[in-house]
Amino acid sequence: MIGITSYGAYVPRLRLSRAAAAQANAWANPGLLAQARGERSMANWDEDSLTMAVEAARDALAGRSTDGIGAIYFGSSTHPFADRQNAGLVAAALDLPESIGSCDLSGAQKAGTAALIAALDRVAAGGAGEALVVVGEHRRARPGSAQELQYGDAAAAFTIGGSAVIAEFLGGHSVSVDFVDHYRGTGQEFDYIWEERWLRDEAFQKWVPAAVNAALEKLGIDPGAIDHFVLAEPVAKLSALVAKRCGIAETVIADSLLGVVGHAGAAHAPLMLASVLQKAQPGQTIVVVGFGQGCDVLAFRTTATLGELPTRSGVAGSLKRRKEERNYPKFLSFNETVSLEKGLRGEANPQTALSAMYRNRRMLFGLVGGSCTKCGTAQFPPADICVNPSCHHQGPMQPYRFADEAAQIKTWSADWLTYTPDPPAHYGMVEFQRGGRFVADITDWDLGKVEVGQPVRMVFRVRGRDAQRGMVRYFWKAAPLAGAGEN
Amino acid sequence: MSSGIRDKVAILGMGCSRFGERWDMGAEELMVESFTEALGDAGIDRKQIQAAWLGSCMDEVNVGKSALPASIALRLNNIPVTRVENYCATGTEAFRGAVYAVASGACDIALAIGVEKLKDTGYGGLPGLDGGSLPPLWWPNLSAPGVFAQVASAYMSRYKVPRDVLKRALAEISAKSHANGAKNPKAHLRNPVSCDTIMASPMIAEPLGLFDCCGVSDGSAAAIVTTPEIAKSLGKHPDQMVTVKALQLALSNGSEGGYNDWDGSYIHTTRVAAQRAYAEAGIKKPRDEISMFEVHDCFSITELVTMEDLALSSDGGAIKDVMDGFYSADGKIPCQIDGGLKCFGHPIGASGIRMVYEMYLQLLGRAGERQLKNPRYGLTHNLGGFPHQNVVGISIVGRYQ
């Protein structure tokens, strides 16, 4: 039996109020007010598809070994790099062994389901004992557009394997149709979009239901026996059209999450699947449809093992970790769709030393320091000579990963002088309970709520962007743990 | 066992440029300004200088790399000139080079000159710190107020000091330096400022406001040193001679920043350097024996904890001493009598030497309006870097006899 063995999800903490955004642009387009309901997820300035994918993967991998993972697939239409493997960087952030296969899937909104299929195929072919699938999307839209309200940022992750399966893969069916409801040319900032009526009438009333029907027939699944129908509809109510034409009950249509997350592009169908898995009972049938110039239809049946899976944050946990944002200009600035004054200090932009980055990749991306083989002191960064003043033992240290270690803020400040896209810059001495400390950026803070002794969780984030050279620099930051300032 | 530096080196002459936003001058002219005063004070010809040390910190502006700018601007006689840089403790480092050279007997007369031309950046505060290839890949974009503000958070936490109590003491510290600076014709900021104004100033890095931060200044300071014997032969009367009693440097080795021991509420290296300096100078009870001192008050919080790190105030006791006026101009041990970094200004490479300059003037009774009565020992404390990894230079100077 091959199928899903674990899942995780991540939705950024910030949620843009659609009303706030619509009201800001209603002077030019009053029609936006019709969509001024609910909220959409909003990546912090230091989040992108890759950092969100890392968080989702950490959720999926929490408390379990990563030893069997032989491949990683990263599906997204908004990978930060066009030519530098994004999946490999995710693997490095997870400190997976380097002896794994890795692949980015992109180019359409169905890149998410394509990543799932690639992983399922690889495991089925014996190419990996287990494969990790991550999907993430950071969707930018033109200011004042309807898409700005409709899109969302999110990520999901799954492990695919042959033992301890929680959802058995029953099979799939794919069609490829050059149906262009929207597109984004290479080098273009934003999507170019055709009217919704075209999408609704020509795709969701014709070839999408045909593909779903073909899949159900091929797999011998009775539409009435489906417990969860997952279709990442680009706009509301399209799933119902498909369900109706396929004989699937309206009651089994999975929560689209559009009202609280928005549409997370290639990550959206997997995100909905992760959400369904968090609620599903053993023995249920799930049909997932990924849409985008064709569609992928995948069917799963949950197993008894699903009930034994340790609890995780998942979509529900991510949605609970929420902070409303009503500052529309801040949303624009975080998405770099407006260029706010940075000040002269914001001009500093050193080149990234790729060789130094490579030498220190486990430190920088895996947050791996050292543990002294003599006194056991955990320390960061790793060094040849132990930092403990009463030890100073010289010799190779045991690699020691800090990413999941409990930590707290030892000292801090909120700095209005230094450059950051989100002033004031918060940083401070972060101390790990089991040893080790370093001065780290603090992210996802609430102004006036940061304090000495506050527990934090280390998160993989964008440290800085070098727009001149197209480099995104990543490192780990400390995020205050849920509680302070959250609704 | 080393015998230390005590009384082996005398200051033959000193000079200090006016500090401030010297839009009219570059680093070269600033060096000439302090050097000319020092040379005149020493009463020697430039050809008698046998070696020199240039302290300059910020490559990004200022003079650039190497010691050539000093050798060229001062038309030195093809002598060895060495550039030193050790963050904001650079000035003391240059002084140490010259003092050690004389003490070793390698040369008779040596020059230490520090200079910084900061106001060529186009913005307030120090230039950003982007050094090295690896640090920019993982360090936060630290600013100087942001890192020193960390000490405030730890101090409040350790001693359970409410924020408003700390803010008030910090304001007293800055107000005192403004009062002192107003009396110093060479100081950058010469305006008395009230505690209310200080506390209401715009926030720079929580909890430090604008008036908790020192001036960002252009300036230069110079010292010419020799042995007491040579000084005597050059006509300096032993009664009118200032000698170096102690000169110590302590650098972090990574433990504050990497080992879970230090609590962030003090500067570890200041404590180490201070104890070494007291031992070298033969000082047993600093609170009774030190007459005056200039500390590295880059920020008001730095000055506060330095009182404790120098063992002048007890741990957690600096706020009370500050509020009692213990360190004011008319207090028991006046601190920053020249205005300090806060108001004299902080041209990085010059600051360590500027501190010695004030102690020198005071010891010789040449401090004018701010002259203290019969000072015996003056201490300077120069701190570079960050609270969790830094360079501390301490000197103690006093009358030879």
Side-chain angles (χ1 to χ4, degrees):
Chain A
M1 183 198 293
I2 282 168
I4 297 167
T5 52
S6 183
Y7 68 90
Y10 180 76
V11 179
R13 173 178 177 246
L14 296 178
R15 310 296 156 74
L16 178 70
S17 154
R18 286 200 179 101
Q23 278 152 15
N25 289 314
W27 65 274
N29 183 1
L32 293 173
L33 292 173
Q35 297 186 43
R37 286 184 307 276
E39 52 195 22
R40 56 152 294 177
S41 60
M42 163 181 165
N44 203 341
W45 75 268
D46 60 359
E47 295 186 294
D48 63 13
S49 60
L50 193 150
T51 67
M52 291 189 282
V54 169
E55 274 307 306
R58 291 176 75 193
D59 191 33
L61 298 173
R64 49 150 287 175
S65 159
T66 55
D67 285 351
I69 295 173
I72 178 167
Y73 294 89
F74 182 6
S76 175
S77 79
T78 53
H79 288 124
F81 290 94
D83 190 353
R84 172 190 177 186
Q85 203 183 44
N86 301 280
L89 191 45
V90 173
L94 298 169
D95 197 36
L96 298 181
E98 292 188 340
S99 56
I100 62 169
S102 52
C103 183
D104 288 331
L105 295 102
S106 192
Q109 300 288 292
K110 68 177 179 195
T113 44
L116 275 170
I117 292 167
L120 287 160
D121 286 351
R122 186 162 187 149
V123 171
E130 210 171 9
L132 175 65
V133 175
V134 295
V135 295
E137 202 82 284
H138 178 211
R139 298 189 86 181
R140 296 171 72 244
R142 194 180 293 283
S145 66
Q147 286 68 43
E148 197 175 42
L149 305 177
Q150 291 164 1
Y151 289 179
D153 306 322
F158 304 87
T159 52
I160 304 294
S163 62
V165 169
I166 59 164
E168 181 188 5
F169 181 51
L170 304 176
H173 175 72
S174 294
V175 297
S176 291
V177 183
D178 187 38
F179 177 89
V180 188
D181 57 303
H182 78 276
Y183 68 93
R184 190 167 74 250
T186 300
Q188 292 295 308
E189 261 196 285
F190 304 117
D191 297 347
Y192 190 82
I193 294 136
W194 221 244
E195 65 177 313
E196 282 171 18
R197 301 171 66 80
W198 151 249
L199 180 72
R200 182 189 68 200
D201 296 349
E202 203 55 30
F204 282 81
Q205 308 226 56
K206 290 186 180 168
W207 57 264
V208 174
V212 173
N213 276 327
L216 297 181
E217 199 166 313
K218 179 174 157 188
L219 300 173
I221 294 172
D222 172 8
I226 294 172
D227 299 291
H228 302 279
F229 181 57
V230 174
L231 197 163
E233 53 188 19
V235 289
K237 295 180 183 163
L238 298 184
S239 305
L241 296 178
V242 177
K244 193 173 170 193
R245 273 164 181 72
C246 298
I248 299 167
E250 203 171 331
T251 50
V252 302
I253 297 174
D255 181 356
S256 72
L257 303 171
L258 295 181
V260 286
V261 176
H263 194 283
H268 205 74
L271 183 76
M272 288 172 65
L273 173 60
S275 175
V276 161
L277 286 170
Q278 204 165 12
K279 300 171 197 158
Q281 301 301 311
Q284 293 192 321
T285 301
I286 303 170
V287 171
V288 182
V289 183
F291 171 80
Q293 286 81 59
C295 59
D296 294 321
V297 186
L298 292 84
F300 296 93
R301 183 168 295 123
T302 56
T303 70
T305 313
L306 176 64
E308 296 160 21
L309 206 63
T311 53
R312 61 211 49 232
S313 171
V315 173
S318 263
L319 289 176
K320 247 170 86 180
R321 184 176 173 271
R322 164 188 175 274
K323 186 185 182 189
E324 186 186 47
E325 184 59 70
R326 300 190 66 87
N327 187 336
Y328 176 66
K330 189 192 242 187
F331 168 79
L332 296 180
S333 180
F334 281 13
N335 281 280
E336 294 179 316
T337 47
V338 296
S339 172
L340 296 186
E341 174 62 44
K342 290 181 172 182
L344 270 57
R345 285 179 182 277
E347 291 175 9
N349 187 25
Q351 186 195 45
T352 302
L354 301 179
S355 43
M357 192 173 83
Y358 170 74
R359 279 196 303 277
N360 299 287
R361 62 195 185 281
R362 245 191 126 183
M363 164 197 165
L364 295 170
F365 303 138
L367 200 66
V368 175
S371 169
C372 178
T373 51
K374 192 173 170 210
C375 72
T377 297
Q379 48 205 280
F380 191 91
D384 290 331
I385 303 174
C386 176
V387 75
N388 177 354
S390 56
C391 176
H392 286 176
H393 172 67
Q394 184 165 355
M397 291 192 185
Q398 221 27 55
Y400 184 95
R401 177 162 152 97
F402 285 92
D404 297 313
E405 291 294 319
Q408 60 164 17
I409 292 172
K410 189 78 185 164
T411 70
W412 70 279
S413 181
D415 183 346
W416 291 95
L417 182 66
T418 197
Y419 171 70
T420 168
D422 186 24
H426 283 65
Y427 50 83
M429 178 71 77
V430 170
E431 183 169 279
F432 295 86
Q433 226 168 62
R434 300 203 299 166
R437 52 162 60 172
F438 63 92
V439 175
D441 277 310
I442 299 168
T443 188
D444 288 0
W445 42 262
D446 292 302
L447 197 60
K449 298 278 176 64
V450 174
E451 56 188 26
V452 172
Q454 192 168 26
V456 294
R457 176 173 191 272
M458 300 311 292
V459 291
F460 190 68
R461 293 291 174 97
V462 173
R463 192 212 160 280
R465 291 188 175 87
D466 174 355
Q468 185 192 342
R469 306 176 188 89
M471 172 56 79
V472 186
R473 303 187 193 101
Y474 295 94
F475 187 59
W476 293 78
K477 301 183 183 180
L481 278 178
E486 281 167 32
N487 315 28
Chain B
M1 188 68 189
S2 70
S3 56
I5 203 79
R6 185 176 171 185
D7 287 335
K8 288 177 182 169
V9 178
I11 298 174
L12 193 59
M14 290 200 77
C16 185
S17 76
R18 185 168 61 78
F19 283 10
E21 296 182 320
R22 299 293 301 267
W23 307 113
D24 59 326
M25 280 198 183
E28 292 78 6
E29 295 86 352
L30 289 164
M31 281 192 279
V32 170
E33 191 174 317
S34 67
F35 178 65
T36 305
E37 184 188 344
L39 207 57
D41 184 32
I44 59 167
D45 184 86
R46 87 186 60 207
K47 287 189 176 150
Q48 290 174 267
I49 297 169
Q50 295 166 346
W53 275 261
L54 165 67
S56 69
C57 185
M58 299 285 178
D59 287 357
E60 299 83 352
V61 285
N62 204 15
V63 293
K65 296 187 197 303
S66 97
L68 281 166
S71 186
I72 292 167
L74 306 180
R75 306 292 186 215
L76 299 175
N77 198 26
N78 301 127
I79 59 169
V81 189
T82 305
R83 177 188 172 223
V84 293
E85 185 279 303
N86 231 345
Y87 276 149
C88 296
T90 293
T92 300
E93 195 66 297
F95 186 64
R96 203 171 71 103
V99 166
Y100 273 33
V102 166
S104 75
C107 66
D108 291 335
I109 300 177
L111 165 73
I113 186 160
V115 67
E116 210 75 32
K117 176 68 197 174
L118 289 173
K119 296 309 295 180
D120 278 338
T121 57
Y123 52 80
L126 297 177
L129 296 160
D130 280 315
S133 50
L134 183 57
L137 297 179
W138 69 283
W139 282 32
N141 287 339
L142 307 172
S143 80
V147 289
F148 280 95
Q150 309 276 327
V151 178
S153 73
Y155 193 91
M156 286 187 281
S157 169
R158 173 174 173 177
Y159 296 110
K160 313 233 171 334
V161 178
R163 185 179 180 279
D164 58 329
V165 171
L166 181 73
K167 280 286 280 181
R168 175 71 210 202
L170 297 181
E172 286 289 340
I173 286 171
S174 295
K176 169 266 300 159
S177 293
H178 271 275
N180 292 348
K183 295 180 181 168
N184 184 348
K186 287 185 174 176
H188 180 174
L189 305 169
R190 301 198 57 205
N191 54 328
V193 177
S194 74
C195 285
D196 288 344
T197 304
I198 291 167
M199 285 191 289
S201 65
M203 189 53 64
I204 300 293
E206 168 65 30
L208 305 177
L210 181 64
F211 281 93
D212 290 300
C213 308
C214 71
V216 175
S217 326
D218 304 324
S220 168
I224 296 170
V225 293
T226 187
T227 64
E229 292 70 32
I230 295 169
K232 270 182 249 172
S233 75
L234 289 169
K236 293 276 175 191
H237 193 278
D239 288 347
Q240 285 297 305
M241 201 187 294
V242 172
T243 54
V244 178
K245 306 294 180 184
L247 189 44
Q248 290 292 337
L249 199 70
L251 275 78
S252 297
N253 64 9
S255 85
E256 303 101 291
Y259 186 67
N260 292 359
D261 185 14
W262 177 68
D263 73 3
S265 71
Y266 61 98
I267 308 295
H268 171 68
T269 46
T270 298
R271 297 186 172 211
V272 173
Q275 291 311 314
R276 282 189 200 144
Y278 293 144
E280 189 172 38
I283 289 170
K284 302 269 189 305
K285 292 181 178 169
R287 193 168 161 113
D288 297 331
E289 295 178 66
I290 300 286
S291 319
M292 57 187 176
F293 60 132
E294 289 291 328
V295 300
H296 199 89
D297 58 329
C298 48
F299 302 96
S300 53
I301 182 67
T302 322
E303 180 169 330
L304 183 86
V305 302
T306 301
M307 305 298 103
E308 299 176 10
D309 296 339
L310 294 175
L312 298 170
S313 293
S314 61
D315 284 358
I319 290 180
K320 183 177 185 301
D321 282 340
V322 165
M323 299 308 288
D324 289 348
F326 189 81
Y327 299 114
S328 303
D330 55 357
K332 173 82 191 316
I333 316 177
C335 179
Q336 319 303 77
I337 192 65
D338 66 359
L341 300 178
K342 174 76 189 82
C343 293
F344 202 144
H346 185 22
I348 314 292
S351 285
I353 301 175
R354 183 276 299 163
M355 297 174 185
V356 177
Y357 177 74
E358 178 68 11
M359 299 294 94
Y360 173 77
L361 294 182
Q362 292 282 353
L363 288 164
L364 296 180
R366 286 159 48 180
E369 212 188 327
R370 55 185 197 283
Q371 181 63 48
L372 302 171
K373 239 188 247 169
N374 200 26
R376 183 174 172 218
Y377 288 127
L379 179 147
T380 69
H381 162 264
N382 199 190
L383 164 63
F386 317 98
H388 69 283
Q389 54 186 60
N390 55 67
V391 180
V392 165
I394 288 180
S395 82
I396 299 174
V397 292
R399 281 211 204 94
Y400 184 48
Q401 286 179 352

